[in-house]
Amino acid sequence: MAEAYAATTHQAPEAAAGPRSTSELRSARVTACLVAAVLVLVLGVAAILTTRMTGLVAALWGAGGVAVAGWLRGPRSTEFDAAYALFITVAFATANVLVGNSLTQTAMFTVANMLEVATAVFLARRVAPQGFDLSSLNGLARYLLAVPLVSPLPGALLAGAGLAAAGLGEFRHSVETWWFGHALGLAVVGTVGLSVTSERLQEWRRPRRLLEAAAILLGMAVVTAVAFLQSKFAIGFLITPMLLLAAVRLRLFGAASAILIVALGAIAGVMLETGPVVLGAFSMVETKLRVTQLYVLLGCVPILLVAALLDERDRLAAAAQAGQLRAEAASAAKSRLLANVSHEIKSPVAGVIGIGELWASGQLGPVSPTQAEMSEMLVRTARQVEALANDLLDVARAEAGRVAVTLRSVDLDGLAEDVRRAVAVRPESAGLRFVVEPAQDRLVALADSVRLSQVVTNLATNAVKYGRSGGVVIFRLSRPDAETARIEVIDRGPGISLEKQTELFEPFNRLGMEKSEIEGHGIGLALARRLAELQGGRIGFESRPGDGARFWVDLPAAQA
């Protein structure tokens, strides 16, 4: 039935109007209605004949579940609703006639059943206008609360009142039997019908998955038969583990199918008076039946929620994995773009720098003071662009894992002094004091001297830019523990606000300083952290607004 409905229920109007004609679609819908009606007829006759000893109301009614599932899977159109209701009405009436019910009983039961099915469809469409997603915990819970719990009540009351008025049954007994039996059918058979999807069918077509499903459901059938159809071996305790196995391995469709097997076996055991020993304490078949129905409803149906939760987890995991793959592809594309842009920028910038230096030196002719100033500004700006291109290239290489790192023993005292001298001679460092505070003992780290110098220079450059109001930049060396060597860069500037600290190492994020007079492109810290990680180290920081910032690089210590 699921495949029959696939042609009419899961296509956009544009797709439906494409290669398939209107007559073909109408024929497919009529076929789907006919298939559902035949299933309702067969299940109705089987339910009435096998459970009639408890009264005129069947104890397990799967026909309603099939009817509701088929209706909900169909398209929402007046034409389909009318045709489907007509087919199902004929099926219910025919089933009642075939089992020997009188015309009055046939009319009453048919109206009661159609009232139940129509109520279920109405409630389902009101609760979930876009359709139930039974593969989610919320969707399944909404279905179970809206359809099996409420929709059997109108039909149960009508049938109970009719049977009581005709003297053919006690009102309360008839209502209870109807509600329990039909609620079971809607909860289990309805879930089976609604949980069948094209994706699930494709998955089960694989021989290995099909064999696993067959083995689990066959094992469920064997355990159910031994538990409910004989009294010698008490193995009812295996029912719950088998249901959980079906939920874990086969998800919602498999769990619902397994519960259906349990329901059939349990009801059959009551009819044949071969149920578990626990039911032996009850003398009346009706009481045994009610206990069995309660067991299936309260003890087995909740397993469906476990299966839905696992289905939802699978979907979220698949979405997360797809998102990760897209993010990785985007990151790789971005890295390639950065590398290409950097290469394209470096060549013309080198030419600009060369021309600017020739112009400033007077080799291109006499230079006036204004021209000399302009040429120096040109060279300075071009070198800033060159530095940006180099940083972009390093970022691209670092993210792609193509940065060559050679680890050897590096004297951190000497490296700090070299960085201090290089930064101190820059024009923007004028008026600042640079201090190196060595460790008590000579400090040696296992690192790449060139890349580590680049990291510390980036930290010192930031300290000069953002902390120059403090008047001093400190390079402090220490050993936090026996296996770690640390170099710190400290400034006494305004510090970093708490709300900005979480964004500190994001590339191209200048924390709102892009509107200030401070130059920069916002990738220095991101690059420094990546380079530190490539050397087996890490970067950390501490900062309080108004009290400066302290950045440190921890690296594996080496023997001095």
Side-chain angles (χ1 to χ4, degrees):
M1 186 173 70
E3 292 182 338
Y5 279 114
T8 63
T9 60
H10 300 295
Q11 296 186 34
E14 295 78 7
R20 306 193 69 181
S21 65
T22 303
S23 60
E24 288 176 332
L25 287 174
R26 185 170 298 168
S27 176
R29 292 174 180 177
V30 171
T31 302
C33 293
L34 181 60
V35 170
V38 171
L39 288 175
V40 168
L41 174 62
V42 172
L43 291 175
V45 171
I48 296 172
L49 292 180
T50 54
T51 62
R52 183 155 236 175
M53 63 179 294
T54 63
L56 289 176
V57 178
L60 180 60
W61 191 247
V66 171
V68 171
W71 202 333
L72 291 177
R73 292 182 70 93
R76 294 191 180 187
S77 67
T78 304
E79 180 184 5
F80 176 80
D81 289 347
Y84 190 88
L86 177 62
F87 273 86
I88 298 304
T89 301
V90 172
F92 280 131
T94 304
N96 279 275
V97 170
L98 290 178
V99 298
N101 286 339
S102 66
L103 292 180
T104 302
Q105 292 169 356
T106 296
M108 179 186 65
F109 284 133
T110 300
V111 171
N113 278 301
M114 288 307 299
L115 180 60
E116 173 186 307
V117 172
T119 302
V121 173
F122 173 78
L123 289 175
R125 289 179 174 177
R126 289 297 298 272
V127 172
Q130 303 302 321
F132 284 106
D133 179 15
L134 297 190
S135 62
S136 70
L137 184 60
N138 180 58
L140 179 62
R142 288 159 68 92
Y143 170 78
L144 293 177
L145 291 175
V147 177
L149 189 63
V150 178
S151 58
L153 289 177
L157 294 174
L158 176 60
L163 292 175
L168 299 175
E170 196 267 327
F171 175 77
R172 178 180 175 183
H173 169 72
S174 298
V175 171
E176 287 181 353
T177 304
W178 181 289
W179 187 88
F180 277 105
H182 289 235
L184 271 176
L186 292 171
V188 180
V189 179
T191 301
V192 171
L194 291 173
S195 63
V196 177
T197 61
S198 58
E199 292 81 6
R200 189 66 68 192
L201 290 175
Q202 289 292 336
E203 179 185 351
W204 281 32
R205 283 175 180 170
R206 298 201 299 266
R208 183 175 179 180
R209 288 290 290 162
L210 186 60
L211 182 62
E212 180 185 20
I216 291 175
L217 294 180
L218 179 60
M220 187 79 257
V222 171
V223 171
T224 299
V226 175
F228 292 106
L229 301 182
Q230 57 82 47
S231 303
K232 183 177 180 181
F233 303 102
I235 63 169
F237 64 91
L238 293 178
I239 295 292
T240 300
M242 289 296 297
L243 289 176
L244 288 173
L245 177 63
V248 170
R249 297 303 304 165
L250 308 180
R251 297 299 191 259
L252 185 62
F253 179 80
S257 301
I259 294 174
L260 179 60
I261 292 173
V262 173
L264 292 172
I267 300 297
V270 173
M271 299 296 103
L272 299 173
E273 298 185 351
T274 59
V277 178
V278 69
L279 296 181
F282 305 103
S283 58
M284 296 181 62
V285 174
E286 291 82 356
T287 307
K288 292 182 179 182
L289 176 63
R290 198 72 69 247
V291 172
T292 301
Q293 291 172 324
L294 280 171
Y295 162 72
V296 177
L297 275 174
L298 302 180
C300 299
V301 171
I303 300 294
L304 295 176
L305 300 176
V306 176
L309 185 61
L310 294 173
D311 262 333
E312 187 171 15
R313 185 205 65 178
D314 291 344
R315 188 172 65 253
L316 293 175
Q321 183 177 12
Q324 180 180 359
L325 293 176
R326 288 194 299 271
E328 291 175 352
S331 178
K334 180 197 68 177
S335 297
R336 289 194 299 271
L337 176 63
L338 290 178
N340 292 337
V341 169
S342 300
H343 281 297
E344 294 298 326
I345 288 176
K346 290 180 69 175
S347 296
V349 166
V352 171
I353 293 174
I355 292 174
E357 290 178 340
L358 289 174
W359 183 18
S361 64
Q363 298 183 43
L364 300 181
V367 180
S368 67
T370 301
Q371 291 175 335
E373 182 180 355
M374 295 297 296
S375 64
E376 291 175 0
M377 184 181 300
L378 174 67
V379 171
R380 184 168 62 253
T381 302
R383 291 199 182 280
Q384 289 175 354
V385 176
E386 183 182 41
L388 172 59
N390 289 331
D391 283 347
L392 287 174
L393 188 58
D394 283 337
V395 168
R397 288 171 177 170
E399 290 187 349
R402 295 199 302 267
V403 174
V405 174
T406 303
L407 301 182
R408 56 172 60 93
S409 295
V410 177
D411 182 2
L412 295 188
D413 295 82
L415 184 140
E417 181 61 29
D418 290 342
V419 172
R420 183 195 70 79
R421 292 177 179 174
V423 176
V425 298
R426 295 183 178 181
E428 60 269 22
S429 299
L432 283 176
R433 187 163 53 92
F434 294 87
V435 178
V436 175
E437 297 181 358
Q440 294 181 350
D441 300 321
R442 182 167 172 260
L443 198 60
V444 179
L446 188 64
D448 184 301
S449 59
V450 175
R451 294 303 180 181
L452 180 57
S453 178
Q454 186 176 358
V455 170
V456 179
T457 299
N458 274 336
L459 297 181
T461 301
N462 278 347
V464 170
K465 289 179 181 178
Y466 301 104
R468 62 179 299 108
S469 60
V472 63
V473 174
I474 301 172
F475 299 86
R476 180 179 296 162
L477 308 177
S478 62
R479 188 187 295 272
D481 55 62
E483 298 179 353
T484 305
R486 171 176 292 183
I487 180 169
E488 302 176 44
V489 179
I490 305 168
D491 67 72
R492 304 300 185 194
I496 306 167
S497 64
L498 296 178
E499 61 270 16
K500 297 295 186 180
Q501 291 185 11
T502 57
E503 308 170 12
L504 194 59
F505 291 98
E506 293 180 2
F508 307 104
N509 189 341
R510 297 193 60 207
L511 308 182
M513 299 299 292
E514 56 274 3
K515 298 181 181 180
S516 69
E517 297 180 356
I518 300 175
E519 298 176 351
H521 40 69
I523 63 174
L525 287 178
L527 177 60
R529 181 171 67 174
R530 185 64 182 136
L531 291 177
E533 291 171 349
L534 289 174
Q535 298 174 76
R538 68 182 187 91
I539 284 183
F541 75 96
E542 287 182 359
S543 180
R544 289 182 295 179
D547 195 28
R550 180 171 68 95
F551 286 81
W552 68 83
V553 183
D554 284 347
L555 295 160
Q559 294 294 328

